[in-house]
Amino acid sequence: MTSADAQAFKRACSCFGLGRYFYDVPAIWVDLDQNRQPAKTPVLSAWALPENWRKGMRPRARNSDEKPRAELQGKGPKEGNDGGQKKAIRRRDGNNSESGHGPAEKFNGSSGTNSDDELDQRIVGMEKAVGTVFYRNILQEYGRVNQPRLIRDAAVKQKVLLMLESVTRGIDRLEAVLKRIDPNTVQALLTKLQVSSLGQIADIKTLQHLVLGLEELSGPAQPHA
């Protein structure tokens, strides 16, 4: 009942335009930890955040004795989850595996430390990981360009990189489920999705439908000994 109440409230709000843009935010893959909680909190694009929030302004705590949230903003990620986030990002980086500069750092307020050239190199390095067709489609869909250096807005470049990294996580999950499912089942689902072969998948939505469908059909993965 609690879930139904929350869903009804959300839909009612969207009818008045409140939070309506959440329905337009593209789906991304998120790595989960051992407790099935997001290993890295997904971050909204810059266009979906209030201007003052992007500038680092935060509301003061209700208790007047506490420090403003803005002063505490920079301390949390560095002390707790930063190491794990960097490790995951390095593993996905196809260009500079030891740089330590990842999307989590950029979106958490250190985007100024990454130049356009660095972003371009990171994006180009993802082509090998996701394949040329997927790579070009992401650039076209989110950047409206064929090359990352043609994107003038740094926020758009970060979005392109985020989506490419999301694709690599989807591909990893696809490769894992393919090892434990019958090829005929895979082909049947591809036909249902109107895709002739795995090599023809070039958009996140189709990849997502395929992976989730195959994972449901194959059942839970067997734990390793």
Side-chain angles (χ1 to χ4, degrees):
M1 289 299 294
T2 302
S3 177
D5 181 71
Q7 292 287 339
F9 179 74
K10 179 181 71 174
R11 293 191 177 101
C13 288
S14 71
C15 291
F16 293 92
L18 213 68
R20 181 62 183 82
Y21 68 91
F22 279 112
Y23 289 92
D24 300 322
V25 175
I28 62 172
W29 295 98
V30 178
D31 287 329
L32 302 180
D33 60 21
Q34 65 273 17
N35 298 318
R36 300 194 63 78
Q37 297 298 316
K40 179 179 68 176
T41 304
V43 182
L44 285 175
S45 302
W47 61 264
L49 296 173
E51 182 180 356
N52 287 339
W53 186 274
R54 294 200 303 270
K55 291 178 179 178
M57 298 178 65
R58 299 293 185 270
R60 288 184 175 274
R62 294 185 178 182
N63 187 343
S64 58
D65 294 332
E66 296 181 16
K67 293 183 178 180
R69 292 172 186 249
E71 296 180 24
L72 304 175
Q73 177 70 15
K75 297 182 180 179
K78 293 181 181 177
E79 295 174 358
N81 299 327
D82 193 56
Q85 288 178 339
K86 286 185 179 179
K87 184 176 180 181
I89 292 164
R90 289 194 191 106
R91 182 169 58 85
R92 299 294 177 186
D93 186 0
N95 184 49
N96 185 1
S97 59
E98 297 300 324
S99 67
H101 297 299
E105 291 178 271
K106 293 196 239 350
F107 285 110
N108 283 337
S110 59
S111 59
T113 63
N114 294 277
S115 67
D116 283 348
D117 288 341
E118 288 174 323
L119 280 173
D120 290 346
Q121 290 174 8
R122 290 179 62 79
I123 292 173
V124 170
M126 297 299 295
E127 180 175 1
K128 186 176 180 180
V130 304
T132 300
V133 176
F134 228 134
Y135 173 78
R136 290 178 177 173
N137 281 354
I138 294 293
L139 278 177
Q140 284 285 347
E141 182 175 355
Y142 297 96
R144 302 292 188 264
V145 295
N146 295 318
Q147 300 178 31
R149 62 182 179 81
L150 299 177
I151 303 175
R152 303 303 179 192
D153 189 342
V156 175
K157 286 187 180 184
Q158 291 172 344
K159 180 66 175 180
V160 169
L161 180 60
L162 183 67
M163 299 313 296
L164 287 170
E165 290 182 331
S166 177
V167 171
T168 63
R169 291 191 287 272
I171 291 175
D172 285 350
R173 287 176 60 174
L174 176 60
E175 291 175 348
V177 74
L178 287 176
K179 295 177 182 177
R180 62 178 195 269
I181 198 165
D182 182 65
N184 292 328
T185 304
V186 177
Q187 189 57 51
L189 186 53
L190 286 172
T191 301
K192 185 176 180 180
L193 294 173
Q194 299 181 343
V195 180
S196 57
S197 66
L198 291 172
Q200 297 299 314
I201 300 175
D203 64 275
I204 292 181
K205 208 168 258 188
T206 301
L207 177 63
Q208 192 174 38
H209 286 320
L210 178 64
V211 172
L212 294 178
L214 291 177
E215 287 179 342
E216 183 178 355
L217 291 170
S218 67
Q222 296 297 320
H224 296 290

